[in-house]
């Protein structure tokens, strides 16, 4: 489902990840100066950097990938220019980014799991 051979942009400012398709599309246009329907992947981080959302358009509609790390934080790439709003990544760099960065043992969090219940 995630497209290959596309441009990938990572926003450098954290956002409120409770927002969905329309507001993320607006952030792509307004903050990142991109076209949300271009087919590119646009990645956003939450304030604590343990969650991210990636928005992309697949010719039939918008898709969101939402990932929460059980431990650690995501590595936010470094900007090449001082006032950059986003950074462009290669596919391999996105893969490394999605794996996350482990924190020291003292700061690791347990992943929240909810017991499944059967409906009768």
């Amino acid at each position: 489902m995630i497209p290959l051979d596309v441009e990938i942009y990572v926003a450098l400012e954290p956002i409120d990840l409770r927002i969905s398709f329309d507001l993320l599309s607006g952030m792509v246009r307004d903050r990142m100066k991109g076209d949300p329907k271009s087919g590119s992947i646009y990645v956003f981080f939450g304030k604590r950097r343990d969650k991210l959302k990636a928005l992309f358009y697949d010719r039939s509609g918008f898709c969101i990938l939402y990932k929460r790390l059980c431990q650690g934080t995501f590595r936010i790439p470094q900007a090449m220019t001082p006032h950059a709003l986003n950074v462009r990544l290669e596919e391999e760099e996105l893969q490394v980014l999605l794996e996350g960065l482990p924190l020291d043992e003292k700061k690791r969090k347990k992943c929240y799991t909810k017991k499944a219940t059967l409906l009768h």
Side-chain angles (χ1 to χ4, degrees), residues 114-120:
K114 188 175 183 179
K115 287 186 176 183
T117 57
L118 297 175
L119 300 175
H120 294 283

Side-chain angles (χ1 to χ4, degrees), residues 75-93:
R75 292 177 222 170
I76 297 179
Q78 296 295 315
M80 299 302 259
T81 59
H83 301 290
L85 301 174
N86 58 65
V87 173
R88 185 169 176 203
L89 297 182
E90 299 297 324
E91 288 177 41
E92 300 81 27
E93 293 171 311

